[in-house]
Amino acid sequence: MRGGWGGIGGRRARAYSRLMTPTPSTAAPEKILRWIMVAVLVWGSILAAGSWTFNHDVRRPIIVFACVIAFLGFWNVMLASRRRRLARGAAPKDRG
């Protein structure tokens, strides 16, 4: 009964296992990056709120949030330059 109609490793077991396992969905890298950037923005907001509760100085959360925004802006500029470079066909060469 092993190879054919049932039992351990049979056709029914294989068909059932194929039905029960979800197919991995391939998410676009841009979509993943957007979600990561949103998460960094939320994290920065929480840090800014925490810095305000330290001594209720308004300058602290502004500095923290400005640094988070500057980081995300720099990251976007680097991604845009990479996109332009890859669109031109100048892929990075391996040194080695």
Side-chain angles (χ1 to χ4, degrees):
M1 280 251 165
R2 244 189 215 181
W5 289 95
I8 299 172
R11 280 190 227 170
R12 291 182 189 150
R14 281 182 286 203
Y16 180 74
S17 67
R18 270 187 262 138
L19 289 174
M20 294 305 291
T21 55
T23 56
S25 62
T26 56
E30 293 86 16
K31 190 174 183 180
I32 293 172
L33 278 173
R34 282 191 200 114
W35 279 110
I36 291 172
M37 288 181 184
V38 167
V40 168
L41 196 60
V42 168
W43 175 71
S45 301
I46 293 169
L47 283 179
S51 68
W52 181 76
T53 60
F54 181 65
N55 64 354
H56 299 292
D57 186 8
V58 176
R59 292 174 292 183
R60 285 180 183 265
I62 291 173
I63 291 170
V64 170
F65 203 65
C67 289
V68 170
I69 295 295
F71 170 75
L72 289 175
F74 178 74
W75 192 8
N76 276 322
V77 167
M78 291 295 109
L79 285 173
S81 69
R82 180 178 182 269
R83 235 179 274 125
R84 279 194 306 268
R85 186 184 70 228
L86 291 177
R88 283 190 311 219
K93 297 178 183 176
D94 290 338
R95 296 179 188 238

